[in-house]
mmCIF file of all heavy atoms in Angstrom:
data_model
loop_
_atom_site.group_PDB
_atom_site.id
_atom_site.type_symbol
_atom_site.label_atom_id
_atom_site.label_comp_id
_atom_site.label_asym_id
_atom_site.label_seq_id
_atom_site.Cartn_x
_atom_site.Cartn_y
_atom_site.Cartn_z
ATOM 1 N N TYR R 16 160.257 -111.535 137.185
ATOM 2 C CA TYR R 16 158.907 -111.576 136.840
ATOM 3 C C TYR R 16 158.598 -112.700 135.691
ATOM 4 O O TYR R 16 157.531 -113.230 135.809
ATOM 5 C CB TYR R 16 158.578 -110.240 136.355
ATOM 6 C CG TYR R 16 157.043 -110.037 136.079
ATOM 7 C CD1 TYR R 16 156.133 -109.796 137.238
ATOM 8 C CD2 TYR R 16 156.438 -110.493 134.831
ATOM 9 C CE1 TYR R 16 154.865 -109.657 137.058
ATOM 10 C CE2 TYR R 16 155.069 -110.432 134.693
ATOM 11 C CZ TYR R 16 154.309 -110.037 135.744
ATOM 12 O OH TYR R 16 152.906 -110.030 135.567
ATOM 13 N N THR R 19 157.002 -115.735 136.613
ATOM 14 C CA THR R 19 155.487 -115.845 136.808
ATOM 15 C C THR R 19 154.886 -116.832 135.942
ATOM 16 O O THR R 19 153.955 -117.528 136.201
ATOM 17 C CB THR R 19 154.920 -114.404 136.640
ATOM 18 O OG1 THR R 19 155.528 -113.427 137.419
ATOM 19 C CG2 THR R 19 153.484 -114.277 136.928
ATOM 20 N N ILE R 20 155.411 -116.881 134.637
ATOM 21 C CA ILE R 20 154.865 -117.816 133.675
ATOM 22 C C ILE R 20 155.654 -118.900 133.477
ATOM 23 O O ILE R 20 155.309 -120.066 133.318
ATOM 24 C CB ILE R 20 154.617 -117.023 132.368
ATOM 25 C CG1 ILE R 20 153.648 -115.875 132.620
ATOM 26 C CG2 ILE R 20 153.990 -117.859 131.315
ATOM 27 C CD1 ILE R 20 153.385 -115.008 131.410
ATOM 28 N N TYR R 42 149.229 -124.042 135.685
ATOM 29 C CA TYR R 42 149.412 -122.921 134.689
ATOM 30 C C TYR R 42 149.043 -123.510 133.259
ATOM 31 O O TYR R 42 148.107 -122.963 132.531
ATOM 32 C CB TYR R 42 150.661 -122.266 134.572
ATOM 33 C CG TYR R 42 150.637 -121.090 133.598
ATOM 34 C CD1 TYR R 42 150.094 -119.852 133.875
ATOM 35 C CD2 TYR R 42 151.098 -121.312 132.332
ATOM 36 C CE1 TYR R 42 149.920 -118.837 132.941
ATOM 37 C CE2 TYR R 42 151.098 -120.321 131.311
ATOM 38 C CZ TYR R 42 150.387 -119.178 131.702
ATOM 39 O OH TYR R 42 150.371 -118.140 130.739
ATOM 40 N N LEU R 45 145.232 -124.765 133.163
ATOM 41 C CA LEU R 45 144.413 -123.528 133.190
ATOM 42 C C LEU R 45 144.273 -122.758 131.917
ATOM 43 O O LEU R 45 143.190 -122.332 131.627
ATOM 44 C CB LEU R 45 144.785 -122.596 134.440
ATOM 45 C CG LEU R 45 143.998 -121.427 134.798
ATOM 46 C CD1 LEU R 45 142.488 -121.964 135.156
ATOM 47 C CD2 LEU R 45 144.361 -120.751 135.934
ATOM 48 N N SER R 46 145.442 -122.554 131.172
ATOM 49 C CA SER R 46 145.362 -121.767 130.000
ATOM 50 C C SER R 46 144.547 -122.450 128.997
ATOM 51 O O SER R 46 144.237 -121.891 127.956
ATOM 52 C CB SER R 46 146.842 -121.597 129.510
ATOM 53 O OG SER R 46 147.456 -122.739 129.189
ATOM 54 N N ASN R 47 144.243 -123.712 129.134
ATOM 55 C CA ASN R 47 143.408 -124.515 128.150
ATOM 56 C C ASN R 47 142.003 -124.548 128.567
ATOM 57 O O ASN R 47 141.150 -125.452 128.062
ATOM 58 C CB ASN R 47 143.980 -125.929 127.979
ATOM 59 C CG ASN R 47 145.324 -125.845 127.166
ATOM 60 O OD1 ASN R 47 145.416 -125.000 126.195
ATOM 61 N ND2 ASN R 47 146.194 -126.759 127.410
ATOM 62 N N ILE R 48 141.690 -123.818 129.530
ATOM 63 C CA ILE R 48 140.227 -123.919 130.148
ATOM 64 C C ILE R 48 139.169 -123.721 129.057
ATOM 65 O O ILE R 48 138.119 -124.200 129.111
ATOM 66 C CB ILE R 48 140.084 -122.832 131.361
ATOM 67 C CG1 ILE R 48 138.679 -123.150 132.030
ATOM 68 C CG2 ILE R 48 140.106 -121.445 130.698
ATOM 69 C CD1 ILE R 48 138.640 -124.393 132.759
ATOM 70 N N LYS R 49 139.563 -122.866 127.956
ATOM 71 C CA LYS R 49 138.499 -122.482 127.053
ATOM 72 C C LYS R 49 138.206 -123.754 126.187
ATOM 73 O O LYS R 49 137.038 -123.776 125.522
ATOM 74 C CB LYS R 49 139.147 -121.432 126.056
ATOM 75 C CG LYS R 49 140.475 -121.775 125.416
ATOM 76 C CD LYS R 49 141.187 -120.511 124.831
ATOM 77 C CE LYS R 49 142.607 -120.686 124.582
ATOM 78 N NZ LYS R 49 143.251 -119.498 124.094
ATOM 79 N N PHE R 58 131.906 -115.606 130.248
ATOM 80 C CA PHE R 58 132.209 -114.944 131.628
ATOM 81 C C PHE R 58 133.681 -114.919 131.829
ATOM 82 O O PHE R 58 134.456 -115.785 131.239
ATOM 83 C CB PHE R 58 131.527 -115.875 132.710
ATOM 84 C CG PHE R 58 131.956 -117.342 132.794
ATOM 85 C CD1 PHE R 58 132.986 -117.661 133.563
ATOM 86 C CD2 PHE R 58 131.272 -118.254 132.076
ATOM 87 C CE1 PHE R 58 133.425 -119.057 133.601
ATOM 88 C CE2 PHE R 58 131.560 -119.587 132.026
ATOM 89 C CZ PHE R 58 132.715 -119.999 132.944
ATOM 90 N N VAL R 59 134.099 -114.069 132.599
ATOM 91 C CA VAL R 59 135.545 -113.781 132.875
ATOM 92 C C VAL R 59 135.746 -113.404 134.366
ATOM 93 O O VAL R 59 134.819 -112.817 135.006
ATOM 94 C CB VAL R 59 136.195 -112.743 131.956
ATOM 95 C CG1 VAL R 59 136.239 -113.189 130.510
ATOM 96 C CG2 VAL R 59 135.635 -111.302 132.175
ATOM 97 N N ALA R 60 136.852 -113.710 134.948
ATOM 98 C CA ALA R 60 137.152 -113.218 136.324
ATOM 99 C C ALA R 60 138.299 -112.190 136.357
ATOM 100 O O ALA R 60 139.455 -112.374 135.824
ATOM 101 C CB ALA R 60 137.544 -114.449 137.125
ATOM 102 N N LEU R 61 138.007 -111.010 136.878
ATOM 103 C CA LEU R 61 139.031 -110.024 137.019
ATOM 104 C C LEU R 61 139.679 -110.344 138.455
ATOM 105 O O LEU R 61 138.967 -110.490 139.400
ATOM 106 C CB LEU R 61 138.432 -108.608 137.173
ATOM 107 C CG LEU R 61 137.584 -108.175 136.019
ATOM 108 C CD1 LEU R 61 136.904 -106.702 136.269
ATOM 109 C CD2 LEU R 61 138.457 -107.945 134.761
ATOM 110 N N THR R 62 141.002 -110.305 138.492
ATOM 111 C CA THR R 62 141.749 -110.430 139.783
ATOM 112 C C THR R 62 142.799 -109.409 139.832
ATOM 113 O O THR R 62 143.386 -108.876 138.832
ATOM 114 C CB THR R 62 142.294 -111.843 139.736
ATOM 115 O OG1 THR R 62 143.348 -112.017 138.791
ATOM 116 C CG2 THR R 62 141.427 -112.983 139.608
ATOM 117 N N PHE R 63 143.021 -109.054 141.137
ATOM 118 C CA PHE R 63 143.923 -107.974 141.289
ATOM 119 C C PHE R 63 144.904 -108.471 142.581
ATOM 120 O O PHE R 63 144.497 -108.909 143.674
ATOM 121 C CB PHE R 63 143.343 -106.737 141.941
ATOM 122 C CG PHE R 63 142.320 -106.089 140.906
ATOM 123 C CD1 PHE R 63 141.103 -106.566 140.789
ATOM 124 C CD2 PHE R 63 142.736 -105.126 140.084
ATOM 125 C CE1 PHE R 63 140.110 -105.995 139.789
ATOM 126 C CE2 PHE R 63 142.017 -104.598 139.070
ATOM 127 C CZ PHE R 63 140.657 -104.967 138.920
ATOM 128 N N ASP R 64 146.155 -108.547 142.266
ATOM 129 C CA ASP R 64 147.309 -108.962 143.263
ATOM 130 C C ASP R 64 147.939 -107.857 143.892
ATOM 131 O O ASP R 64 147.888 -106.722 143.523
ATOM 132 C CB ASP R 64 148.343 -109.813 142.345
ATOM 133 C CG ASP R 64 147.854 -111.157 142.056
ATOM 134 O OD1 ASP R 64 146.555 -111.408 142.071
ATOM 135 O OD2 ASP R 64 148.632 -111.992 141.561
ATOM 136 N N ARG R 154 146.967 -117.605 145.573
ATOM 137 C CA ARG R 154 147.708 -117.441 144.312
ATOM 138 C C ARG R 154 149.270 -117.223 144.694
ATOM 139 O O ARG R 154 149.529 -116.235 145.454
ATOM 140 C CB ARG R 154 147.266 -116.107 143.524
ATOM 141 C CG ARG R 154 148.068 -115.844 142.237
ATOM 142 C CD ARG R 154 147.589 -114.733 141.536
ATOM 143 N NE ARG R 154 146.399 -115.374 140.697
ATOM 144 C CZ ARG R 154 145.472 -114.530 140.076
ATOM 145 N NH1 ARG R 154 145.603 -113.200 140.080
ATOM 146 N NH2 ARG R 154 144.519 -115.136 139.382
ATOM 147 N N LEU R 177 146.022 -119.755 139.274
ATOM 148 C CA LEU R 177 146.840 -118.694 138.571
ATOM 149 C C LEU R 177 146.000 -117.722 137.735
ATOM 150 O O LEU R 177 145.017 -117.255 138.167
ATOM 151 C CB LEU R 177 147.970 -119.355 137.805
ATOM 152 C CG LEU R 177 148.941 -120.203 138.764
ATOM 153 C CD1 LEU R 177 150.112 -120.724 137.905
ATOM 154 C CD2 LEU R 177 149.574 -119.445 139.864
ATOM 155 N N TRP R 178 146.355 -117.709 136.392
ATOM 156 C CA TRP R 178 145.540 -116.731 135.556
ATOM 157 C C TRP R 178 145.736 -117.226 134.191
ATOM 158 O O TRP R 178 146.602 -118.049 133.811
ATOM 159 C CB TRP R 178 146.089 -115.311 135.798
ATOM 160 C CG TRP R 178 147.429 -115.201 135.441
ATOM 161 C CD1 TRP R 178 148.093 -114.814 134.188
ATOM 162 C CD2 TRP R 178 148.619 -115.361 136.347
ATOM 163 N NE1 TRP R 178 149.516 -114.997 134.443
ATOM 164 C CE2 TRP R 178 149.754 -115.179 135.717
ATOM 165 C CE3 TRP R 178 148.649 -115.669 137.819
ATOM 166 C CZ2 TRP R 178 151.094 -115.264 136.377
ATOM 167 C CZ3 TRP R 178 149.966 -115.738 138.385
ATOM 168 C CH2 TRP R 178 151.083 -115.564 137.571
ATOM 169 N N THR R 179 145.080 -116.628 133.217
ATOM 170 C CA THR R 179 145.114 -116.960 131.779
ATOM 171 C C THR R 179 145.402 -115.802 130.905
ATOM 172 O O THR R 179 145.997 -115.930 129.819
ATOM 173 C CB THR R 179 143.894 -117.655 131.117
ATOM 174 O OG1 THR R 179 142.748 -116.815 131.219
ATOM 175 C CG2 THR R 179 143.460 -118.807 132.107
ATOM 176 N N VAL R 180 145.125 -114.527 131.334
ATOM 177 C CA VAL R 180 145.399 -113.367 130.685
ATOM 178 C C VAL R 180 146.101 -112.395 131.523
ATOM 179 O O VAL R 180 145.597 -112.054 132.697
ATOM 180 C CB VAL R 180 144.122 -112.647 130.132
ATOM 181 C CG1 VAL R 180 144.395 -111.453 129.332
ATOM 182 C CG2 VAL R 180 143.344 -113.643 129.143
ATOM 183 N N ASP R 181 147.333 -112.052 131.298
ATOM 184 C CA ASP R 181 148.201 -111.245 132.055
ATOM 185 C C ASP R 181 148.251 -109.775 131.406
ATOM 186 O O ASP R 181 148.689 -109.453 130.250
ATOM 187 C CB ASP R 181 149.663 -111.722 132.128
ATOM 188 C CG ASP R 181 150.509 -111.066 133.143
ATOM 189 O OD1 ASP R 181 150.036 -109.949 133.667
ATOM 190 O OD2 ASP R 181 151.530 -111.599 133.456
ATOM 191 N N SER R 182 147.734 -108.774 132.111
ATOM 192 C CA SER R 182 147.662 -107.381 131.726
ATOM 193 C C SER R 182 149.088 -106.684 131.679
ATOM 194 O O SER R 182 149.435 -105.832 130.936
ATOM 195 C CB SER R 182 146.857 -106.535 132.516
ATOM 196 O OG SER R 182 147.511 -106.346 133.825
ATOM 197 N N LEU R 183 150.008 -107.292 132.482
ATOM 198 C CA LEU R 183 151.420 -106.795 132.578
ATOM 199 C C LEU R 183 151.342 -105.309 133.017
ATOM 200 O O LEU R 183 152.208 -104.462 132.694
ATOM 201 C CB LEU R 183 152.141 -106.927 131.295
ATOM 202 C CG LEU R 183 152.389 -108.387 130.797
ATOM 203 C CD1 LEU R 183 153.161 -108.366 129.359
ATOM 204 C CD2 LEU R 183 153.247 -109.252 131.797
ATOM 205 N N ASP R 184 150.432 -104.980 133.833
ATOM 206 C CA ASP R 184 150.321 -103.624 134.143
ATOM 207 C C ASP R 184 151.347 -103.100 135.066
ATOM 208 O O ASP R 184 151.604 -101.895 135.240
ATOM 209 C CB ASP R 184 148.845 -103.350 134.913
ATOM 210 C CG ASP R 184 148.774 -104.309 136.103
ATOM 211 O OD1 ASP R 184 149.478 -105.240 136.259
ATOM 212 O OD2 ASP R 184 147.680 -104.160 136.801
ATOM 213 N N ILE R 192 147.646 -99.350 125.922
ATOM 214 C CA ILE R 192 148.304 -100.607 125.670
ATOM 215 C C ILE R 192 147.854 -101.740 126.513
ATOM 216 O O ILE R 192 147.587 -102.818 125.982
ATOM 217 C CB ILE R 192 149.836 -100.390 126.011
ATOM 218 C CG1 ILE R 192 150.495 -99.323 124.980
ATOM 219 C CG2 ILE R 192 150.660 -101.663 125.956
ATOM 220 C CD1 ILE R 192 151.888 -99.023 125.165
ATOM 221 N N LEU R 193 147.380 -101.318 127.805
ATOM 222 C CA LEU R 193 146.841 -102.463 128.598
ATOM 223 C C LEU R 193 145.421 -102.868 128.084
ATOM 224 O O LEU R 193 145.157 -104.054 128.085
ATOM 225 C CB LEU R 193 146.543 -101.818 130.005
ATOM 226 C CG LEU R 193 147.823 -101.317 130.908
ATOM 227 C CD1 LEU R 193 147.385 -101.027 132.263
ATOM 228 C CD2 LEU R 193 148.899 -102.437 130.934
ATOM 229 N N ILE R 194 144.680 -101.954 127.571
ATOM 230 C CA ILE R 194 143.394 -102.342 126.880
ATOM 231 C C ILE R 194 143.533 -103.289 125.875
ATOM 232 O O ILE R 194 142.825 -104.336 125.674
ATOM 233 C CB ILE R 194 142.594 -100.959 126.571
ATOM 234 C CG1 ILE R 194 142.305 -100.178 127.697
ATOM 235 C CG2 ILE R 194 141.410 -101.385 125.681
ATOM 236 C CD1 ILE R 194 141.996 -98.716 127.385
ATOM 237 N N GLU R 195 144.467 -102.946 124.952
ATOM 238 C CA GLU R 195 144.856 -103.787 123.759
ATOM 239 C C GLU R 195 145.258 -105.059 124.139
ATOM 240 O O GLU R 195 144.837 -106.150 123.652
ATOM 241 C CB GLU R 195 145.670 -103.090 122.861
ATOM 242 C CG GLU R 195 146.388 -103.989 121.764
ATOM 243 C CD GLU R 195 145.265 -104.347 120.692
ATOM 244 O OE1 GLU R 195 144.199 -103.723 120.579
ATOM 245 O OE2 GLU R 195 145.473 -105.464 120.105
ATOM 246 N N ARG R 196 146.110 -105.172 125.111
ATOM 247 C CA ARG R 196 146.812 -106.435 125.562
ATOM 248 C C ARG R 196 145.691 -107.395 126.117
ATOM 249 O O ARG R 196 145.737 -108.617 125.869
ATOM 250 C CB ARG R 196 147.733 -106.163 126.689
ATOM 251 C CG ARG R 196 148.557 -107.362 127.086
ATOM 252 C CD ARG R 196 149.766 -106.987 127.955
ATOM 253 N NE ARG R 196 150.831 -106.310 127.349
ATOM 254 C CZ ARG R 196 151.361 -105.180 127.770
ATOM 255 N NH1 ARG R 196 151.018 -104.703 128.911
ATOM 256 N NH2 ARG R 196 152.250 -104.473 127.092
ATOM 257 N N VAL R 197 144.705 -106.888 126.954
ATOM 258 C CA VAL R 197 143.769 -107.686 127.561
ATOM 259 C C VAL R 197 142.714 -108.130 126.562
ATOM 260 O O VAL R 197 142.391 -109.209 126.487
ATOM 261 C CB VAL R 197 143.048 -106.932 128.839
ATOM 262 C CG1 VAL R 197 141.849 -107.652 129.251
ATOM 263 C CG2 VAL R 197 144.017 -106.726 129.851
ATOM 264 N N VAL R 198 142.192 -107.127 125.833
ATOM 265 C CA VAL R 198 141.056 -107.396 124.974
ATOM 266 C C VAL R 198 141.576 -108.408 123.783
ATOM 267 O O VAL R 198 140.815 -109.262 123.401
ATOM 268 C CB VAL R 198 140.557 -106.092 124.259
ATOM 269 C CG1 VAL R 198 139.618 -106.453 123.150
ATOM 270 C CG2 VAL R 198 139.868 -105.328 125.341
ATOM 271 N N SER R 199 142.793 -108.210 123.348
ATOM 272 C CA SER R 199 143.280 -109.103 122.162
ATOM 273 C C SER R 199 143.510 -110.575 122.740
ATOM 274 O O SER R 199 143.585 -111.466 121.881
ATOM 275 C CB SER R 199 144.493 -108.462 121.562
ATOM 276 O OG SER R 199 145.618 -108.470 122.530
ATOM 277 N N ASN R 200 143.551 -110.781 123.999
ATOM 278 C CA ASN R 200 143.919 -112.072 124.532
ATOM 279 C C ASN R 200 142.692 -112.664 125.245
ATOM 280 O O ASN R 200 142.810 -113.854 125.777
ATOM 281 C CB ASN R 200 145.049 -112.145 125.422
ATOM 282 C CG ASN R 200 146.416 -111.777 124.709
ATOM 283 O OD1 ASN R 200 146.870 -112.734 124.054
ATOM 284 N ND2 ASN R 200 146.970 -110.636 124.886
ATOM 285 N N ILE R 201 141.597 -112.022 125.227
ATOM 286 C CA ILE R 201 140.406 -112.482 126.105
ATOM 287 C C ILE R 201 139.879 -113.779 125.426
ATOM 288 O O ILE R 201 139.935 -114.076 124.195
ATOM 289 C CB ILE R 201 139.342 -111.441 126.090
ATOM 290 C CG1 ILE R 201 138.510 -111.597 127.328
ATOM 291 C CG2 ILE R 201 138.528 -111.395 124.798
ATOM 292 C CD1 ILE R 201 139.202 -111.489 128.689
ATOM 293 N N HIS R 202 139.220 -114.565 126.268
ATOM 294 C CA HIS R 202 138.517 -115.872 125.788
ATOM 295 C C HIS R 202 137.544 -116.169 126.840
ATOM 296 O O HIS R 202 137.645 -115.596 128.013
ATOM 297 C CB HIS R 202 139.557 -116.957 125.686
ATOM 298 C CG HIS R 202 140.310 -117.326 126.951
ATOM 299 N ND1 HIS R 202 139.894 -118.168 127.924
ATOM 300 C CD2 HIS R 202 141.602 -116.948 127.357
ATOM 301 C CE1 HIS R 202 140.660 -118.216 128.906
ATOM 302 N NE2 HIS R 202 141.653 -117.484 128.638
ATOM 303 N N ASN R 203 136.618 -117.050 126.520
ATOM 304 C CA ASN R 203 135.611 -117.602 127.449
ATOM 305 C C ASN R 203 136.252 -118.102 128.712
ATOM 306 O O ASN R 203 137.180 -119.025 128.543
ATOM 307 C CB ASN R 203 134.639 -118.419 126.891
ATOM 308 C CG ASN R 203 133.763 -117.877 125.872
ATOM 309 O OD1 ASN R 203 133.809 -116.590 125.550
ATOM 310 N ND2 ASN R 203 132.820 -118.627 125.335
ATOM 311 N N GLY R 204 135.824 -117.768 129.911
ATOM 312 C CA GLY R 204 136.443 -118.320 131.112
ATOM 313 C C GLY R 204 137.766 -117.788 131.382
ATOM 314 O O GLY R 204 138.430 -118.321 132.383
ATOM 315 N N ALA R 205 138.167 -116.625 130.900
ATOM 316 C CA ALA R 205 139.477 -116.048 131.251
ATOM 317 C C ALA R 205 139.554 -115.548 132.673
ATOM 318 O O ALA R 205 138.612 -115.159 133.278
ATOM 319 C CB ALA R 205 139.761 -114.833 130.279
ATOM 320 N N ILE R 206 140.669 -115.749 133.176
ATOM 321 C CA ILE R 206 141.078 -115.128 134.553
ATOM 322 C C ILE R 206 142.083 -114.065 134.262
ATOM 323 O O ILE R 206 143.239 -114.454 133.868
ATOM 324 C CB ILE R 206 141.641 -116.260 135.597
ATOM 325 C CG1 ILE R 206 140.497 -117.298 135.829
ATOM 326 C CG2 ILE R 206 142.018 -115.547 136.820
ATOM 327 C CD1 ILE R 206 140.973 -118.516 136.609
ATOM 328 N N ILE R 207 141.777 -112.857 134.458
ATOM 329 C CA ILE R 207 142.643 -111.659 134.071
ATOM 330 C C ILE R 207 143.419 -111.213 135.207
ATOM 331 O O ILE R 207 142.874 -110.913 136.270
ATOM 332 C CB ILE R 207 141.774 -110.595 133.459
ATOM 333 C CG1 ILE R 207 140.818 -111.135 132.384
ATOM 334 C CG2 ILE R 207 142.676 -109.508 132.855
ATOM 335 C CD1 ILE R 207 139.768 -110.210 131.866
ATOM 336 N N LEU R 208 144.689 -111.103 135.073
ATOM 337 C CA LEU R 208 145.570 -110.555 136.154
ATOM 338 C C LEU R 208 145.878 -109.104 136.021
ATOM 339 O O LEU R 208 146.460 -108.640 135.041
ATOM 340 C CB LEU R 208 146.897 -111.370 136.080
ATOM 341 C CG LEU R 208 147.988 -110.928 136.958
ATOM 342 C CD1 LEU R 208 147.610 -111.015 138.442
ATOM 343 C CD2 LEU R 208 149.277 -111.730 136.830
ATOM 344 N N PHE R 209 145.554 -108.374 137.026
ATOM 345 C CA PHE R 209 145.902 -106.916 137.353
ATOM 346 C C PHE R 209 146.614 -106.843 138.664
ATOM 347 O O PHE R 209 146.659 -107.803 139.360
ATOM 348 C CB PHE R 209 144.700 -105.989 137.300
ATOM 349 C CG PHE R 209 143.890 -105.982 135.988
ATOM 350 C CD1 PHE R 209 142.798 -106.589 135.857
ATOM 351 C CD2 PHE R 209 144.422 -105.165 135.003
ATOM 352 C CE1 PHE R 209 142.049 -106.520 134.644
ATOM 353 C CE2 PHE R 209 143.717 -105.029 133.816
ATOM 354 C CZ PHE R 209 142.509 -105.813 133.600
ATOM 355 N N HIS R 210 147.145 -105.688 138.896
ATOM 356 C CA HIS R 210 147.811 -105.414 140.298
ATOM 357 C C HIS R 210 147.175 -104.238 140.949
ATOM 358 O O HIS R 210 146.785 -103.236 140.202
ATOM 359 C CB HIS R 210 149.351 -105.317 140.154
ATOM 360 C CG HIS R 210 149.966 -106.606 139.715
ATOM 361 N ND1 HIS R 210 149.930 -106.953 138.339
ATOM 362 C CD2 HIS R 210 150.624 -107.452 140.303
ATOM 363 C CE1 HIS R 210 150.706 -108.087 138.226
ATOM 364 N NE2 HIS R 210 151.027 -108.402 139.462
ATOM 365 N N ILE R 225 138.238 -101.345 129.474
ATOM 366 C CA ILE R 225 138.290 -102.886 129.317
ATOM 367 C C ILE R 225 136.939 -103.452 129.641
ATOM 368 O O ILE R 225 136.457 -104.301 128.953
ATOM 369 C CB ILE R 225 139.318 -103.397 130.245
ATOM 370 C CG1 ILE R 225 140.724 -102.988 129.715
ATOM 371 C CG2 ILE R 225 139.301 -104.884 130.390
ATOM 372 C CD1 ILE R 225 141.933 -103.330 130.617
ATOM 373 N N LEU R 229 134.603 -105.396 126.982
ATOM 374 C CA LEU R 229 134.349 -106.938 127.211
ATOM 375 C C LEU R 229 132.695 -107.098 127.378
ATOM 376 O O LEU R 229 132.153 -108.063 126.881
ATOM 377 C CB LEU R 229 135.051 -107.433 128.398
ATOM 378 C CG LEU R 229 136.562 -107.505 128.255
ATOM 379 C CD1 LEU R 229 137.184 -108.106 129.418
ATOM 380 C CD2 LEU R 229 136.921 -108.050 126.952
ATOM 381 N N TYR R 234 130.434 -110.396 127.650
ATOM 382 C CA TYR R 234 131.065 -110.989 128.895
ATOM 383 C C TYR R 234 130.565 -110.540 130.244
ATOM 384 O O TYR R 234 130.179 -109.366 130.321
ATOM 385 C CB TYR R 234 132.621 -110.877 128.915
ATOM 386 C CG TYR R 234 133.436 -111.579 127.836
ATOM 387 C CD1 TYR R 234 133.791 -111.010 126.593
ATOM 388 C CD2 TYR R 234 133.607 -113.057 128.005
ATOM 389 C CE1 TYR R 234 134.508 -111.826 125.687
ATOM 390 C CE2 TYR R 234 134.310 -113.736 127.050
ATOM 391 C CZ TYR R 234 134.715 -113.035 125.924
ATOM 392 O OH TYR R 234 135.256 -113.854 125.032
#
Side-chain angles (χ1 to χ4, degrees):
Y16 189 84
T19 304
I20 299 179
Y42 182 81
L45 184 58
S46 63
N47 287 325
I48 189 67
K49 52 193 168 187
F58 60 91
V59 297
L61 301 174
T62 64
F63 297 87
D64 286 9
R154 176 172 285 164
L177 300 183
W178 58 89
T179 68
V180 176
D181 192 344
S182 69
L183 297 176
D184 55 352
I192 295 176
L193 298 185
I194 294 166
E195 169 63 22
R196 185 175 291 136
V197 171
V198 173
S199 63
N200 287 289
I201 205 64
H202 61 85
N203 289 4
I206 298 175
I207 309 169
L208 171 62
F209 295 101
H210 293 82
I225 290 172
L229 296 186
Y234 287 100

